[in-house]
Amino acid sequence: MNNNPVGWFEIYVKDIDRAKRFYESVFEVKLERLNSPPGAEIELWAFPMAKDGRGASGALVKMKDGPSNGNCVLVYFMCADCAVEAARAVASGGQIVREKMSIGQYGFIALIADTEGNMIGLHSMQ
């Protein structure tokens, strides 16, 4: 791993309008709507991001019957090919929650659970 390990985060919410107002007000930023992956019932509003900037960006996410409340944050680790790290997770005692899938122009993701039951995301462009 040559870069910072975290490349993206998602904060899951039930009331997207209320959450947008909160984060835009607290951080004095304007969130931008992102296109949802084809066929997904998901609404994403991204925090401002600079492609070559430092740190990770992320989005507020509203999904039908999705999680929220408490600590519903998903961290995505950057990978060359997320299927490779997903396979390593299984070999290391974890499990695959969602196999590698396309998210359109944004690349691919896979979801895994670590040995403690924590879900994390893997993201790659291939």
Side-chain angles (χ1 to χ4, degrees):
M1 193 176 296
N2 295 328
N3 297 322
N4 291 326
V6 176
W8 185 257
F9 65 84
E10 293 179 344
I11 301 170
Y12 291 90
V13 303
K14 293 264 187 228
D15 186 328
I16 195 76
D17 293 325
R18 179 179 60 206
K20 277 181 55 214
R21 280 191 305 273
F22 174 82
Y23 282 96
E24 288 179 336
S25 174
V26 169
F27 297 109
E28 297 181 327
V29 296
K30 183 77 174 146
L31 301 180
E32 177 184 338
R33 181 135 193 197
L34 296 177
N35 293 328
S36 298
E41 291 185 42
I42 187 170
E43 186 175 347
L44 299 110
W45 287 84
F47 288 85
M49 60 183 106
K51 184 175 179 170
D52 296 322
R54 297 168 80 182
S57 190
L60 300 179
V61 179
K62 180 179 179 192
M63 294 173 32
K64 182 180 182 202
D65 300 323
S68 76
N69 210 356
N71 191 25
C72 291
V73 176
L74 183 58
V75 175
Y76 282 85
F77 288 81
M78 303 302 293
C79 310
D81 180 346
C82 60
V84 172
E85 281 77 5
R88 283 193 209 136
V90 171
S92 299
Q95 57 186 293
I96 295 175
V97 175
R98 173 169 254 167
E99 296 281 346
K100 180 179 177 180
M101 64 175 262
S102 172
I103 54 171
Q105 68 184 20
Y106 304 111
F108 299 87
I109 61 168
L111 300 174
I112 62 171
D114 67 14
T115 56
E116 309 306 307
N118 297 304
M119 187 168 67
I120 61 171
L122 306 172
H123 176 263
S124 63
M125 290 307 293
Q126 64 176 24

